Amino acid sequence: MASHDSSFSSFRTYLRAVAQTPSRFARRGFSVSTSYEEMSRVRARSGTSMRKTLRWFDLVGFGIGGMVGAGVFVTTGHASRVFAGPAVVLSYAIAGFCALLSAFCYTEFAVDMPVAGGAFSYLRVTFGEFAAFLTGANLIMDYVMSNAAVARGFTAYFGATIGVSSAKWRITVPSFPEGFNQIDMVAVAVVLLITLVICYSTRESSVVNMILTALHILFIAFVIVIGFWKGSWKNFTQPANPEHPSGFFPHGAAGVFNGAAAVYLSYIGYDAVSTMAEEVKEPVKDIPIGVSGSVIIVTVLYCLMAASMCMLLPYDMIDPEAPFSAAFTSDGWGWASRVIGVGASFGILTSLIVAMLGQARYMCVIGRCNVVPSWFAKVHPKTSTPVNASAFLGIFTAAIALFTDLDVLLNLVSIGTLFVFYMVANAVVYRRYVAAGTTNPWPTLCFLFSFSFTSIMFTLIWKFVATGVTKAGLLSACGVLAIAILQLFHFTVPQARKPEFWGVPLMPWVPAISIFLNLFLLGSLDGPSYIRFGFFSGVAVLFYVFYSVHASFDAERDDGSIGQKSGEIHLDQSFRV
């Protein structure tokens, strides 16, 4: 194949390329790849292959480490006091079930296509390059911002554990603007140390994560045991103030579901496990066990933690900001607060390790597709890790953690991740029911659009309509309509493919429920989250228009088509049509 001039070889050439942006966007933005290409030609752009060293127990460890951070010590109190009361135990169980449904969607893709790109690769083979880049870019920015915030949180928790205020660990620079004037060298050191570990070896990263996760679970077990030992069963039904609602469901079913929405973000983290798929020895066996197993274990841990807290104190006495520390202090066990601080510190470290591993692998695969510089795609021949992507994002995260006091408390990875969960659930339905060139995609697209629209209407009614008969009637109507749309699609549109190794059960019910729940949870987020999402999305679109589409076009022209228009015929070797 003859080589062509790059769109970036000179300023004049670049201006000529920009003038062709509409036609290039039409060609590349909606081009889709195949599983075979993602695992062969695209993966080969990294040079050295990532070493397959991980087994199912490594993935379980990564999943637990990624999910069980410091946030659980806060979310439990907030959900119990404000929403669910003692029924927060059921809130965690419902949220865990919802997380498991999303995990199933990730697992089908990860088993079929064990590459490091996670959701980016799944969307690229389904909805095309632009949709994949937009969601992947948002996800990376959310990871970087939240990792910086979590690293600064480590300083606060560790300082509280040893009895030293975090203010003494930070250097205040009065000339800097408020919110950027506290320099945190501890957070920087933690981020850079973890960056070195993940650059050195994924296997060693797994060992470090396993040790820290085991220690963290020991501290969680301590909290659970003390709660059941010191607590009283009567606190499950009797509030401290008789005037407050009593019983196990003081705020009814609505309180339980609102509580589930509040605690669902405690389960975010298992998605990073899918980015390890390329380094798994036996993807067909290990990935389903690793992803689903970690979600189930974390659900059990969370439910036991919630139960122990509700036994320690009546729900109307729980401190929504620091529930466990306050509960132990009220019983004269102040030293236990420091134990919780130690456990939270370990949880922060494990969540940082998993998130930083995940963000580097997202960036690596985005680099393979040439929508960011291909330098990010390189895998080091000695360590078999994406060193360039890991080092760049690690330094970027450390720079943000150095200056910026990010006010990210519960939403460690919020709107970007929920949006990606929503997109992956749509993608798994589309991929099962549409084979490009052989089936009509419009019935499936119409189903996905109408079901999403009905879910959005349900969410808006739930959030803005006053409680009463009207609200109940509107919600019921939306529910009936959603089920009717789902059943009509199920009985009239046949599946175009069957997964060869592992597939989401009860198709299309499971991904449809995941679509609804992720939209419902997106509706529970605050305005600033949407502003941040809109800003990041705008930056990503500009980057794609002025760089990515041209770099992708050059790559297609130089080495042959690396994708195809979504209407062209392709044969996907991993599915039976």
Side-chain angles (χ1 to χ4, degrees):
M1 179 74 64
S3 179
H4 298 79
D5 288 339
S6 166
S7 298
F8 308 96
S9 59
S10 69
F11 186 65
R12 178 176 295 180
T13 306
Y14 176 67
L15 290 179
R16 193 158 51 242
V18 170
Q20 299 173 11
T21 297
S23 61
R24 292 186 173 193
F25 183 90
R27 179 172 182 83
R28 297 303 310 152
F30 302 102
S31 64
V32 296
S33 179
T34 66
S35 298
Y36 176 74
E37 287 179 344
E38 290 291 318
M39 292 189 294
S40 55
R41 189 186 308 182
V42 174
R43 184 159 65 181
R45 293 197 180 115
S46 287
T48 306
S49 297
M50 296 185 193
R51 193 175 295 130
K52 294 182 178 295
T53 59
L54 303 179
R55 296 301 308 272
W56 63 267
F57 46 83
D58 295 296
L59 299 183
V60 170
F62 279 130
I64 296 172
M67 283 182 274
V68 187
V72 65
F73 293 104
V74 180
T75 51
T76 309
H78 179 75
S80 179
R81 181 69 180 265
V82 178
F83 298 118
V88 69
V89 178
L90 294 182
S91 295
Y92 269 112
I94 292 169
F97 176 71
C98 299
L100 190 62
L101 299 185
S102 287
F104 283 160
C105 298
Y106 269 81
T107 301
E108 176 168 323
F109 275 114
V111 170
D112 164 50
M113 191 169 55
V115 294
F120 173 83
S121 297
Y122 310 155
L123 294 175
R124 189 165 178 263
V125 301
T126 308
F127 296 132
E129 183 177 276
F130 177 68
F133 178 75
L134 183 62
T135 52
N138 260 292
L139 193 53
I140 287 176
M141 286 305 299
D142 266 357
Y143 267 123
V144 169
M145 294 294 183
S146 64
N147 287 342
V150 170
R152 290 180 71 92
F154 176 82
T155 306
Y157 272 103
F158 186 70
T161 301
I162 62 176
V164 179
S165 171
S166 61
K168 295 183 179 180
W169 297 76
R170 293 171 178 160
I171 303 170
T172 302
V173 182
S175 59
F176 286 7
E178 186 69 27
F180 300 88
N181 61 345
Q182 289 194 335
I183 295 177
D184 192 334
M185 296 304 298
V186 175
V188 171
V190 167
V191 171
L192 293 180
L193 182 62
I194 291 175
T195 300
L196 288 175
V197 172
I198 66 175
C199 284
Y200 178 70
S201 168
T202 304
R203 179 69 218 158
E204 270 63 36
S205 299
S206 176
V207 172
V208 172
N209 175 73
M210 292 281 251
I211 293 171
L212 293 174
T213 299
L215 291 172
H216 189 200
I217 290 177
L218 284 176
F219 284 102
I220 289 177
F222 166 82
V223 171
I224 294 170
V225 170
I226 295 299
F228 277 91
W229 175 41
K230 296 280 291 181
S232 171
W233 290 101
K234 70 177 184 180
N235 290 332
F236 272 117
T237 55
Q238 297 178 16
N241 187 340
E243 296 182 1
H244 291 162
S246 61
F248 186 67
F249 299 95
H251 303 298
V256 175
F257 285 103
N258 283 331
V263 303
Y264 182 80
L265 293 170
S266 298
Y267 288 92
I268 288 177
Y270 66 82
D271 57 302
V273 176
S274 67
T275 66
M276 317 289 178
E278 196 168 311
E279 298 155 274
V280 176
K281 287 185 175 180
E282 298 181 47
V284 174
K285 183 182 77 173
D286 293 341
I287 292 175
I289 296 174
V291 177
S292 302
S294 60
V295 173
I296 292 169
I297 292 171
V298 168
T299 301
V300 173
L301 285 175
Y302 282 170
C303 289
L304 290 174
M305 284 185 73
S308 71
M309 184 195 67
C310 291
M311 289 183 67
L312 281 170
L313 287 174
Y315 80 89
D316 56 347
M317 287 183 65
I318 292 172
D319 185 343
E321 301 300 326
F324 291 97
S325 298
F328 285 126
T329 301
S330 67
D331 276 358
W333 285 48
W335 58 271
S337 298
R338 294 192 175 183
V339 172
I340 292 171
V342 174
S345 299
F346 285 129
I348 287 173
L349 291 176
T350 59
S351 63
L352 272 175
I353 290 172
V354 176
M356 291 179 70
L357 280 166
Q359 72 183 17
R361 279 146 185 78
Y362 275 121
M363 181 64 87
C364 172
V365 173
I366 293 174
R368 288 175 181 173
C369 300
N370 293 290
V371 288
V372 298
S374 57
W375 179 83
F376 289 109
K378 299 304 178 185
V379 172
H380 197 278
K382 290 185 178 179
T383 64
S384 298
T385 59
V387 170
N388 293 354
S390 300
F392 173 82
L393 290 176
I395 293 170
F396 186 30
T397 302
I400 295 174
L402 177 63
F403 293 101
T404 312
D405 185 15
L406 296 172
D407 185 19
V408 182
L409 184 58
L410 301 182
N411 299 7
L412 300 182
V413 184
S414 54
I415 189 167
T417 306
L418 290 174
F419 179 69
V420 173
F421 288 175
Y422 164 76
M423 291 294 290
V424 170
N426 279 277
V428 79
V429 173
Y430 187 88
R431 192 158 164 78
R432 281 280 198 103
Y433 286 87
V434 176
T438 60
T439 56
N440 182 3
W442 285 109
T444 303
L445 289 173
C446 288
F447 160 70
L448 293 174
F449 175 80
S450 58
F451 189 83
S452 292
F453 179 79
T454 307
S455 301
I456 291 170
M457 294 305 299
F458 183 98
T459 302
L460 293 175
I461 293 167
W462 179 279
K463 189 168 186 177
F464 295 111
V465 177
T467 302
V469 176
T470 302
K471 181 176 183 177
L474 290 172
L475 291 176
S476 299
C478 283
V480 170
L481 180 60
I483 293 172
I485 292 170
L486 185 57
Q487 284 292 78
L488 180 65
F489 175 73
H490 178 56
F491 286 116
T492 59
V493 181
Q495 291 188 37
R497 316 163 187 248
K498 295 290 184 182
E500 185 176 349
F501 302 113
W502 195 95
V504 176
L506 302 176
M507 182 66 76
W509 283 88
V510 167
I513 294 171
S514 182
I515 288 170
F516 166 76
L517 291 170
N518 285 303
L519 286 172
F520 183 78
L521 293 169
L522 282 167
S524 70
L525 297 177
D526 55 9
S529 295
Y530 283 94
I531 294 172
R532 186 171 67 246
F533 180 72
F535 175 76
F536 288 159
S537 296
V539 172
V541 169
L542 290 175
F543 186 88
Y544 186 83
V545 167
F546 287 104
Y547 174 83
S548 301
V549 71
H550 307 296
S552 176
F553 182 84
D554 289 346
E556 176 191 26
R557 186 176 57 184
D558 288 343
D559 65 2
S561 177
I562 57 174
Q564 56 207 301
K565 298 290 288 182
S566 56
E568 293 177 2
I569 298 175
H570 72 274
L571 295 177
D572 192 330
Q573 297 185 4
S574 57
F575 277 84
R576 296 192 302 269
V577 179

